[in-house]
Amino acid sequence: MEVVSPRSSAIATCAAALLLLLGAALLCSAAESPPYTVVHQESDFEVRLYRESTWMSAPVRDISFEKATLNGFHRLFQFIQGANLNFSRIPMTFPVVTSIVPEAGPLHSWAYSVRFYLPPKFQADPPTPLPELDLEPHVWESHCVAVRRFSGFAKDENIVREAEKLASSLSRSPWANMTSSESSYAYSIAQYNSPFRVIGRVNEVWVDVVAPGSNGCEFSGVATF
């Protein structure tokens, strides 16, 4: 009979609890999400212009994307449940975005930033998180993002493959070689669903880009969301 140590049991219990928190939060998500305008569209990707917005960011250092996302979201969830100096409860928004910083440390360790878009009510003056949560507000300046949608669960074994597919699509488009040199992130993964949803899941891989022949992002008026 396999013997489970108290430490292993505690870790498993904690992980299950965090998944329940994540599921409860995302199942009850509000309709708020960062507004954007589609400026270019192809069959397998699109380019969006996101206006300046404020997010709450949880820095995480880990090799695993999945563990980093869970760690960061757990801290963000505490923040929106009132773990801030104002004791404010903040409605859940979507997506939850995990941005990846490659080559951030020894032994191929990676750094991540797990982000939560603040609803309009809190954009100008976000509540201050409790210090122990190690969170910080992040002003995301107006910028363009190339987006490729994919289904299923975003996991360690498939996110790099999805990012490579987006890079391949960009290389065959007018946006070839237009990834932003000013971005601090290799790419980001946006997740829109509860972990309890199995069918019809929506994820996106994002990479910052600049418009061909310009220093920013040109608007062609395709659609606004």
Side-chain angles (χ1 to χ4, degrees), residues 32-184:
E32 299 291 352
S33 59
Y36 63 85
T37 301
V38 176
V39 300
H40 181 90
Q41 198 159 32
E42 305 249 352
S43 61
D44 55 350
F45 78 93
E46 66 185 25
V47 177
R48 301 172 183 167
L49 170 62
Y50 282 92
R51 301 297 182 184
E52 182 176 289
S53 57
T54 303
W55 299 58
M56 191 59 65
S57 179
V60 185
R61 189 175 292 275
D62 204 306
I63 293 176
S64 168
F65 159 83
E66 294 175 67
K67 290 180 180 178
T69 300
L70 196 60
N71 177 308
F73 182 83
H74 177 52
R75 288 147 56 197
L76 291 167
F77 183 76
Q78 293 180 73
F79 166 72
I80 68 175
Q81 288 297 298
N84 54 74
L85 298 186
N86 298 352
F87 303 105
S88 298
R89 285 185 171 267
I90 302 169
M92 185 65 199
T93 62
F94 64 87
V96 173
V97 176
T98 303
S99 296
I100 295 131
V101 184
E103 302 176 1
L107 302 176
H108 304 290
S109 63
W110 289 47
Y112 300 83
S113 180
V114 184
R115 294 176 175 172
F116 168 85
Y117 169 71
L118 292 168
K121 176 181 177 181
F122 298 96
Q123 281 286 308
D125 187 22
T128 301
L130 295 183
E132 58 266 29
L133 295 180
D134 188 23
L135 303 177
E136 55 188 19
H138 174 79
V139 177
W140 207 343
E141 296 181 356
S142 179
H143 65 294
C144 256
V145 179
V147 176
R148 182 181 186 278
R149 182 167 291 189
F150 65 99
S151 59
F153 287 87
K155 291 184 167 291
D156 292 318
E157 58 266 25
N158 69 351
I159 59 167
V160 174
R161 182 170 65 250
E162 296 298 337
E164 288 173 343
K165 289 179 180 178
L166 175 58
S168 177
S169 296
L170 287 171
S171 71
R172 301 189 301 269
S173 78
W175 297 80
N177 302 316
M178 291 299 158
T179 54
S180 174
S181 60
E182 297 181 1
S183 177
S184 302

